[in-house]
Amino acid sequence: MNLREKYSIPPDAVITIAGTVGVGKSTMTKAIADALHFKTSFEKVDSNPYLDRFYEDFSKWSFHLQIYFLAERFKEQKRMFEYGGGFIQDRSIYEDTGIFAQMHKEKGTMDPVDHETYTSLFEAMVMTPYFPHPNLLIYLEGSLDDIIDRIHDRGRPMEQQTPISYWEEMHGRYENWINSFNGCPVLRLNINDYDIVQNPESVEVIIGRIGHFMEQTEALRK
Ligand SMILES: Nc1ncnc2c1ncn2[C@@H]1O[C@H](COP(=O)(O)OP(=O)(O)O)[C@@H](O)[C@H]1O
Ligand SMILES: Nc1ncnc2c1ncn2[C@H]1C[C@H](O)[C@@H](COP(=O)(O)O)O1
């Protein structure tokens, strides 16, 4: 019996991994997808034509970058929908609007009219059939210091030049955002509790928690 069957995880589930930059979403996405034999939906980072420019000049490129991410996520949502689920998704679309676009608008690095245009496009997109809520959102959390260490260890050049205050602001916003998020059931995992890099077998404990949590939330829904 495979882990998906063992822990009664539906084969058509869509599970989104959320959390701040560097917390470990991509690593967790791959580990869970491998364990469940699910497909993956990753963000485009290396081939993103705006990301470097954005980190050099937030005000100039924030609208372009948000539109780029929105278009990419729309294509991914459509792909997941057409496959009929069975996906682990690296970051939710809710974070683009609820964290990044919001933060840049409030900090004055995204023009309010651009933000309005972006939001109306986002709202039009989520009204299409391609945007069902995920079955589960796994929120990865950790201390700011641990996350900054991970950003440094990963070493993406544009992130190294970004002031710590940017990551600190984002870390705080994530906490507030997840505390009021109600788009789908949320399972919180603290990054100190599982080390899937040093100890890959620990993914089974996470799969067990996912299965148990999904059963509970499904029972409550009935
Ligand atoms: N459990 C872990 N233990 C130690 N390092 C980790 C762990 N998970 C991820 N990392 C490392 O932290 C960095 C950020 O992880 P990544 O998965 O790319 O984060 P995200 O997708 O959230 O930005 C990478 O260098 C990755 O190898
Ligand atoms: N919506 C976004 N706006 C601005 N920046 C974003 C957005 N989504 C992702 N990013 C940035 C943050 C990181 O530098 C890379 C990849 O994110 P990660 O959390 O490391 O997967 O893109």
Side-chain angles (χ1 to χ4, degrees):
M1 189 189 276
N2 65 34
L3 287 183
R4 188 190 62 70
E5 287 167 349
K6 182 173 174 186
Y7 295 104
S8 309
I9 295 171
D12 59 353
V14 173
I15 299 174
T16 293
I17 316 288
T20 195
V21 176
V23 71
K25 298 179 298 299
S26 307
T27 310
M28 187 67 82
T29 297
K30 187 169 181 329
I32 296 178
D34 285 350
L36 294 178
H37 301 292
F38 270 25
K39 293 175 276 301
T40 50
S41 171
F42 283 108
E43 288 183 309
K44 285 209 174 91
V45 176
D46 295 340
S47 59
N48 185 318
Y50 291 110
L51 207 51
D52 285 334
R53 294 186 240 189
F54 166 75
Y55 276 102
E56 272 166 31
D57 187 341
F58 287 150
S59 300
K60 188 166 175 189
W61 297 106
S62 59
F63 180 67
H64 305 69
L65 180 68
Q66 292 312 324
I67 296 295
Y68 180 86
F69 271 121
L70 194 53
E72 289 303 311
R73 295 215 203 278
F74 186 80
K75 286 187 265 180
E76 283 300 290
Q77 286 289 144
K78 188 164 175 286
R79 187 168 75 92
M80 292 191 292
F81 180 85
E82 286 170 351
Y83 267 110
F87 271 86
I88 310 295
Q89 182 183 34
D90 179 4
R91 178 164 278 132
S92 67
I93 194 156
Y94 313 116
E95 293 157 78
D96 292 318
T97 47
I99 302 283
F100 292 95
Q102 189 70 20
M103 173 167 108
H104 283 280
K105 185 195 76 170
E106 288 176 14
K107 289 281 165 189
T109 45
M110 186 172 190
D111 180 88
V113 179
D114 286 349
H115 183 262
E116 189 61 40
T117 306
Y118 167 77
T119 305
S120 67
L121 182 59
F122 170 79
E123 282 167 2
M125 282 184 175
V126 295
M127 279 189 282
T128 66
Y130 304 122
F131 281 81
H133 291 298
N135 300 87
L136 175 68
L137 183 144
I138 297 178
Y139 180 67
L140 295 183
E141 58 194 349
S143 72
L144 179 64
D145 285 349
D146 286 348
I147 289 164
I148 286 171
D149 285 349
R150 286 189 177 188
I151 292 173
H152 287 153
D153 290 347
R154 179 171 59 188
R156 283 184 192 145
M158 70 289 198
E159 292 174 354
Q160 310 311 305
Q161 290 141 22
T162 302
I164 300 287
S165 56
Y166 184 74
W167 310 122
E168 194 175 3
E169 171 79 28
M170 195 180 291
H171 190 259
R173 281 176 181 263
Y174 259 100
E175 269 310 298
N176 296 335
W177 170 80
I178 199 63
N179 286 336
S180 59
F181 177 80
N182 57 11
C184 68
V186 175
L187 174 63
R188 288 177 182 242
L189 296 183
N190 191 298
I191 60 172
N192 290 323
D193 294 342
Y194 307 93
D195 193 336
I196 54 167
V197 172
Q198 293 296 322
N199 180 15
E201 310 84 66
S202 65
V203 77
E204 182 164 354
V205 183
I206 297 173
I207 303 288
R209 282 193 66 187
I210 295 172
H212 182 63
F213 188 78
M214 287 181 88
E215 268 176 359
Q216 275 184 329
T217 50
E218 191 53 28
L220 284 175
R221 215 175 54 81
K222 283 180 182 157

